[in-house]
Amino acid sequence: MTAWHPLLEGDDAERAWRVIDEIAEALRPEVEKIGADTDPCFAGGTSGLASFYAYLGAETGNEEWTAIAHRLMEHSINALTERPLRPDLYAGFTGIAWAIDNLRGILFDDDDDDDDPIGEALVQVLDREEPYGIGQFDLIGGLAGYGIYAFHALPRPAARRSLELLVRRLIEIGQPVDGGFSWFSPPEELPDWQLEEAPNGKFNLGVSHGVAGVLSVLGMCAGADAMNGEQRAILDRAADWFLAQKQNAETWRFSNSVIEGGPAKRDRMAWCYGDPGIAGALFTAARHTGNARWEAEALDVAQVAARRPMEDAFIKDAGLCHGSAGLAHMFNRYFQASGDPLLAEAARAWFRYTLDLQKPGTGIAGYLFWWKPDWLPTTGWLMGVSGVGAALLGAVSSREPAWDQILGVSVPLERRSSEPGATRSDDAADRREPARARAHRSGSGD
C-alpha cells in the first residue's frame, strides 16, 4: 500500500506546527462553551472539531488533545438520540456517523460489529415511497452525501443496501441530455443569488452542490460493485457529458455551471466550485473504477489549476471550502496520489499562502473568515479555523488525512486495474475488510 508522506519540511514545517498548536490552544474556550444547543454536526459543529483534535492527538501522542476530541464526539453522539436531525452529511446524522467511523482506530477502538442503526435509518430514508425531487442530489445536503457515509461503512449489510438504493434514486432524478446523462438544478432549488444568472435553472458542475459530487460518489458505488450493468452505463454517459463541458482556456477548464443560452466562463479556485474540486471528484471516480481516461482528464484539470496565478484565484480567506487551506490540501492529496511534482509545488505554495494569512491578535489564532459582508472568527471545520488546522496537519504528518473522504475528493493512493479479471488493488480489497479495520489502517499510515 502506498503511504502518505509529509509534504512540508524545514522552516515550512516548523511554521505549520506552530500555527497548528496555536489553533488547538485558541479553540479550547469553544470546547468549554459546549451546551445543549451547540451544533453537533460536522461542517460547523462538534464532530468536525473532534476530527481535528483526534488527528492531532494521534499524531502527537498528546492525551490532552485526544481527551478534548472524546468530549466533543460525546456531545455529537448524544445528539443522535436526543435531537431530531436531518440525514444530511454536512449538517445531519450521516455526517456524525461518518465521523465516528472515520475515527475508528484513531479515537475509538476498532470492532467488527455489523450493527448499524444509522445505516438502517438511511435505508428507510432512501426506500421511502414518495419520489425525490429533481435537484435533491447534492453532496452537502442531498443524496450524494448519504453515499459518502454508506460507502465508508461497508461491508455492513445496511451500508450496501443503502448504496444500492442510492444509485437507483440518483438515476431516477437524473435525466438524459445531449446524448449523455446529468442532474439538473431547477430554479426552485437555487438560492436567490444564483437565480439572477439562471432564472430557469442550470446544470451545476461543482462538487458541493453539483454534478461533480454525484460523479465522485457514483464512482465509489461502481468500485464497490453496488451497480448493475445498466446503471454503470449511465455513469459512463454522465462522465462523458461532464467531460464534454471541459474548456481549453489557458488558466481554467470548467465553468461552475451550464446554463441554457449562457457562455462558459472562468470560475474561482475552490473545492465547492471550480477546477480544483472538480479535478478531485473526477480523480476519485477514476481511481475507484480503474478508468485511466478519466484519471488523465482529472490530472489535466489539476495541472492547469496548479499553474493558475494566485492573484487570479479569487481567494479571500484560509478556509477549506473556498479558501487557501482547501486548495493546499487538495493539491497535496492529488500529489500524494499521482507523484506529480507540479502538484506538490502548488500545494507548498498554497500552504505558505495560508500561513501568511495569519494575523496575530485577530480572530481565532490569527484567522478571520469571509461571511459576506463581514469577516468573522469562525471555529467550524468546513469554513473555519479547525479546518485550516486539519489541512496544515495533513501537510506535516505521515498519517493519511482520511477526513477528506467527506469532501468527495479523497483520491485513493493506489490505482485499481480496469482489466477484466485483473487483481484488484488495495483500495478495492479494503472494501472486503471490516470497516473498522479499514479505518484503522488508513489512520495509521502503515
Side-chain angles (χ1 to χ4, degrees):
M1 179 180 177
T2 301
W4 185 273
H5 300 284
L7 177 80
L8 300 181
E9 300 175 332
D11 290 343
D12 289 336
E14 289 182 12
R15 288 184 70 197
W17 270 116
R18 184 169 63 251
V19 172
I20 292 165
D21 289 340
E22 289 173 5
I23 289 171
E25 290 290 348
L27 286 171
R28 283 179 185 269
E30 300 303 319
V31 178
E32 297 303 319
K33 293 178 186 176
I34 294 175
D37 296 330
T38 301
D39 179 3
C41 300
F42 198 86
T46 51
S47 52
L49 287 174
S51 178
F52 165 62
Y53 277 112
Y55 275 85
L56 181 58
E59 181 66 21
T60 62
N62 187 324
E63 294 182 0
E64 187 175 7
W65 300 143
T66 300
I68 289 175
H70 273 292
R71 180 177 176 184
L72 290 161
M73 278 308 304
E74 181 180 15
H75 175 266
S76 295
I77 291 168
N78 288 340
L80 290 173
T81 57
E82 295 173 357
R83 299 192 196 181
L85 295 173
R86 292 176 55 82
D88 304 7
L89 182 65
Y90 279 61
F93 67 74
T94 55
I96 297 172
W98 170 86
I100 295 169
D101 271 356
N102 185 252
L103 297 178
R104 303 279 186 187
I106 298 174
L107 188 64
F108 305 119
D109 292 336
D110 278 332
D111 61 64
D112 295 334
D113 187 3
D114 280 338
D115 183 43
D116 186 9
I118 297 297
E120 296 292 348
L122 190 55
V123 168
Q124 293 181 27
V125 169
L126 290 166
D127 203 24
R128 65 186 193 181
E129 292 184 4
E130 61 271 27
Y132 280 83
I134 294 173
Q136 296 178 0
F137 55 78
D138 76 320
L139 190 75
I140 283 184
L143 286 166
Y146 309 159
I148 295 288
Y149 167 74
F151 176 81
H152 293 288
L154 289 174
R156 297 172 184 147
R160 176 157 295 280
R161 178 60 178 154
S162 294
L163 283 186
E164 293 168 350
L165 288 168
L166 174 78
V167 171
R168 190 181 79 190
R169 291 298 195 183
L170 280 171
I171 289 175
E172 285 174 353
I173 64 173
Q175 64 185 67
V177 55
D178 297 334
F181 195 88
S182 195
W183 289 265
F184 186 72
S185 298
E188 59 269 23
E189 295 287 338
L190 299 180
D192 290 343
W193 65 272
Q194 291 186 14
L195 281 173
E196 295 177 10
E197 183 181 43
N200 298 316
K202 64 181 182 178
F203 291 96
N204 184 327
L205 300 184
V207 176
S208 58
H209 297 292
V211 179
V214 177
L215 293 179
S216 175
V217 169
L218 287 180
M220 297 177 198
C221 294
D225 299 323
M227 284 183 168
N228 60 36
E230 181 180 356
Q231 291 167 337
R232 176 55 199 271
I234 289 175
L235 169 58
D236 291 344
R237 288 170 56 200
D240 286 344
W241 177 86
F242 193 93
L243 289 169
Q245 313 314 311
K246 188 179 173 187
Q247 308 296 309
N248 195 33
E250 183 177 354
T251 61
W252 60 283
R253 286 291 182 262
F254 283 95
S255 178
N256 71 14
S257 56
V258 174
I259 302 170
E260 185 177 4
K265 55 185 180 181
R266 180 186 56 175
D267 199 12
R268 63 185 173 185
M269 293 254 289
W271 163 75
C272 49
Y273 293 96
D275 285 343
I278 287 172
L282 291 172
F283 202 171
T284 299
R287 280 285 165 94
H288 282 289
T289 59
N291 191 307
R293 180 172 66 88
W294 297 354
E295 181 166 330
E297 296 276 15
L299 282 172
D300 173 69
V301 179
Q303 289 160 351
V304 169
R307 296 188 185 99
R308 185 163 162 177
M310 284 183 164
E311 60 271 18
D312 189 43
F314 308 123
I315 293 297
K316 284 185 175 289
D317 63 32
L320 286 178
C321 180
H322 46 259
S324 59
L327 293 181
H329 177 74
M330 286 187 289
F331 284 126
N332 188 17
R333 165 64 70 175
Y334 309 159
F335 159 66
Q336 302 273 354
S338 70
D340 186 338
L342 172 65
L343 303 180
E345 189 49 45
R348 293 187 186 100
W350 280 109
F351 276 122
R352 291 174 190 133
Y353 187 100
T354 300
L355 294 168
D356 289 342
L357 283 178
Q358 188 191 37
K359 301 293 184 283
T362 65
I364 302 173
Y367 287 98
L368 289 168
F369 299 86
W370 178 246
W371 290 69
K372 190 176 181 179
D374 299 312
W375 288 90
L376 300 175
T378 307
T379 62
W381 177 87
L382 183 62
M383 293 191 284
V385 73
S386 58
V388 176
L392 289 170
L393 184 59
V396 295
S397 175
S398 58
R399 179 181 301 275
E400 184 176 357
W403 50 259
D404 63 1
Q405 294 166 359
I406 201 170
L407 293 170
V409 296
S410 188
V411 183
L413 301 182
E414 290 281 348
R415 287 186 174 88
R416 176 186 180 183
S417 173
S418 60
E419 294 298 319
T423 301
R424 293 186 174 188
S425 71
D426 285 349
D427 172 63
D430 279 349
R431 288 189 289 275
R432 294 195 295 270
E433 297 177 354
R436 277 65 65 200
R438 193 171 65 248
H440 174 72
R441 200 158 66 97
S442 66
S444 68
D446 292 341

